[in-house]
mmCIF file of all heavy atoms in Angstrom:
data_model
loop_
_atom_site.group_PDB
_atom_site.id
_atom_site.type_symbol
_atom_site.label_atom_id
_atom_site.label_comp_id
_atom_site.label_asym_id
_atom_site.label_seq_id
_atom_site.Cartn_x
_atom_site.Cartn_y
_atom_site.Cartn_z
ATOM 1 N N THR B 396 29.976 51.098 8.141
ATOM 2 C CA THR B 396 29.737 51.215 9.563
ATOM 3 C C THR B 396 28.268 50.976 9.863
ATOM 4 O O THR B 396 27.414 51.152 9.025
ATOM 5 C CB THR B 396 30.137 52.595 10.089
ATOM 6 O OG1 THR B 396 29.381 53.565 9.361
ATOM 7 C CG2 THR B 396 31.619 52.826 9.919
ATOM 8 N N ASP B 397 28.053 50.568 11.054
ATOM 9 C CA ASP B 397 26.715 50.148 11.425
ATOM 10 C C ASP B 397 26.618 50.250 12.936
ATOM 11 O O ASP B 397 27.348 49.567 13.658
ATOM 12 C CB ASP B 397 26.551 48.686 10.954
ATOM 13 C CG ASP B 397 25.171 48.155 11.262
ATOM 14 O OD1 ASP B 397 24.506 48.736 12.129
ATOM 15 O OD2 ASP B 397 24.792 47.162 10.642
ATOM 16 N N PRO B 398 25.757 51.116 13.448
ATOM 17 C CA PRO B 398 25.677 51.307 14.897
ATOM 18 C C PRO B 398 25.377 50.001 15.645
ATOM 19 O O PRO B 398 25.868 49.797 16.754
ATOM 20 C CB PRO B 398 24.518 52.292 15.056
ATOM 21 C CG PRO B 398 24.422 52.989 13.758
ATOM 22 C CD PRO B 398 24.863 52.008 12.717
ATOM 23 N N GLU B 399 24.595 49.112 15.038
ATOM 24 C CA GLU B 399 24.266 47.865 15.715
ATOM 25 C C GLU B 399 25.537 47.067 16.011
ATOM 26 O O GLU B 399 25.732 46.527 17.088
ATOM 27 C CB GLU B 399 23.329 47.050 14.835
ATOM 28 C CG GLU B 399 22.764 45.823 15.519
ATOM 29 C CD GLU B 399 22.175 44.847 14.514
ATOM 30 O OE1 GLU B 399 21.562 45.319 13.528
ATOM 31 O OE2 GLU B 399 22.358 43.645 14.682
ATOM 32 N N ARG B 400 26.412 47.029 15.012
ATOM 33 C CA ARG B 400 27.700 46.372 15.239
ATOM 34 C C ARG B 400 28.495 47.132 16.278
ATOM 35 O O ARG B 400 29.208 46.543 17.080
ATOM 36 C CB ARG B 400 28.500 46.333 13.942
ATOM 37 C CG ARG B 400 27.918 45.386 12.947
ATOM 38 C CD ARG B 400 28.655 45.529 11.660
ATOM 39 N NE ARG B 400 27.998 44.798 10.600
ATOM 40 C CZ ARG B 400 28.199 45.012 9.327
ATOM 41 N NH1 ARG B 400 29.028 45.956 8.948
ATOM 42 N NH2 ARG B 400 27.569 44.299 8.427
ATOM 43 N N GLY B 401 28.371 48.453 16.238
ATOM 44 C CA GLY B 401 29.065 49.275 17.215
ATOM 45 C C GLY B 401 28.712 48.860 18.635
ATOM 46 O O GLY B 401 29.579 48.725 19.484
ATOM 47 N N VAL B 402 27.418 48.635 18.867
ATOM 48 C CA VAL B 402 26.963 48.236 20.205
ATOM 49 C C VAL B 402 27.633 46.923 20.607
ATOM 50 O O VAL B 402 28.111 46.770 21.723
ATOM 51 C CB VAL B 402 25.428 48.083 20.235
ATOM 52 C CG1 VAL B 402 24.977 47.492 21.557
ATOM 53 C CG2 VAL B 402 24.764 49.424 20.000
ATOM 54 N N PHE B 403 27.692 46.001 19.641
ATOM 55 C CA PHE B 403 28.292 44.710 19.948
ATOM 56 C C PHE B 403 29.769 44.851 20.296
ATOM 57 O O PHE B 403 30.242 44.302 21.291
ATOM 58 C CB PHE B 403 28.125 43.758 18.766
ATOM 59 C CG PHE B 403 28.327 42.319 19.139
ATOM 60 C CD1 PHE B 403 27.237 41.472 19.284
ATOM 61 C CD2 PHE B 403 29.597 41.815 19.373
ATOM 62 C CE1 PHE B 403 27.421 40.154 19.645
ATOM 63 C CE2 PHE B 403 29.789 40.505 19.745
ATOM 64 C CZ PHE B 403 28.699 39.664 19.870
ATOM 65 N N ILE B 404 30.502 45.606 19.460
ATOM 66 C CA ILE B 404 31.943 45.730 19.746
ATOM 67 C C ILE B 404 32.155 46.451 21.066
ATOM 68 O O ILE B 404 33.059 46.116 21.824
ATOM 69 C CB ILE B 404 32.699 46.476 18.643
ATOM 70 C CG1 ILE B 404 32.335 45.924 17.279
ATOM 71 C CG2 ILE B 404 34.207 46.360 18.830
ATOM 72 C CD1 ILE B 404 33.000 46.672 16.145
ATOM 73 N N LEU B 405 31.304 47.430 21.341
ATOM 74 C CA LEU B 405 31.462 48.153 22.603
ATOM 75 C C LEU B 405 31.268 47.197 23.783
ATOM 76 O O LEU B 405 32.025 47.233 24.754
ATOM 77 C CB LEU B 405 30.467 49.311 22.675
ATOM 78 C CG LEU B 405 30.642 50.208 23.903
ATOM 79 C CD1 LEU B 405 32.001 50.872 23.899
ATOM 80 C CD2 LEU B 405 29.553 51.268 23.964
ATOM 81 N N ALA B 406 30.256 46.338 23.654
ATOM 82 C CA ALA B 406 30.029 45.353 24.710
ATOM 83 C C ALA B 406 31.274 44.473 24.871
ATOM 84 O O ALA B 406 31.726 44.202 25.980
ATOM 85 C CB ALA B 406 28.809 44.507 24.378
ATOM 86 N N LEU B 407 31.835 44.088 23.737
ATOM 87 C CA LEU B 407 33.042 43.261 23.763
ATOM 88 C C LEU B 407 34.189 44.007 24.456
ATOM 89 O O LEU B 407 34.913 43.447 25.286
ATOM 90 C CB LEU B 407 33.423 42.910 22.317
ATOM 91 C CG LEU B 407 34.497 41.866 22.113
ATOM 92 C CD1 LEU B 407 33.985 40.511 22.554
ATOM 93 C CD2 LEU B 407 34.900 41.811 20.651
#
Side-chain angles (χ1 to χ4, degrees):
Chain B
T396 58
D397 181 340
E399 188 196 323
R400 290 173 189 161
V402 172
F403 198 104
I404 312 177
L405 186 62
L407 191 68

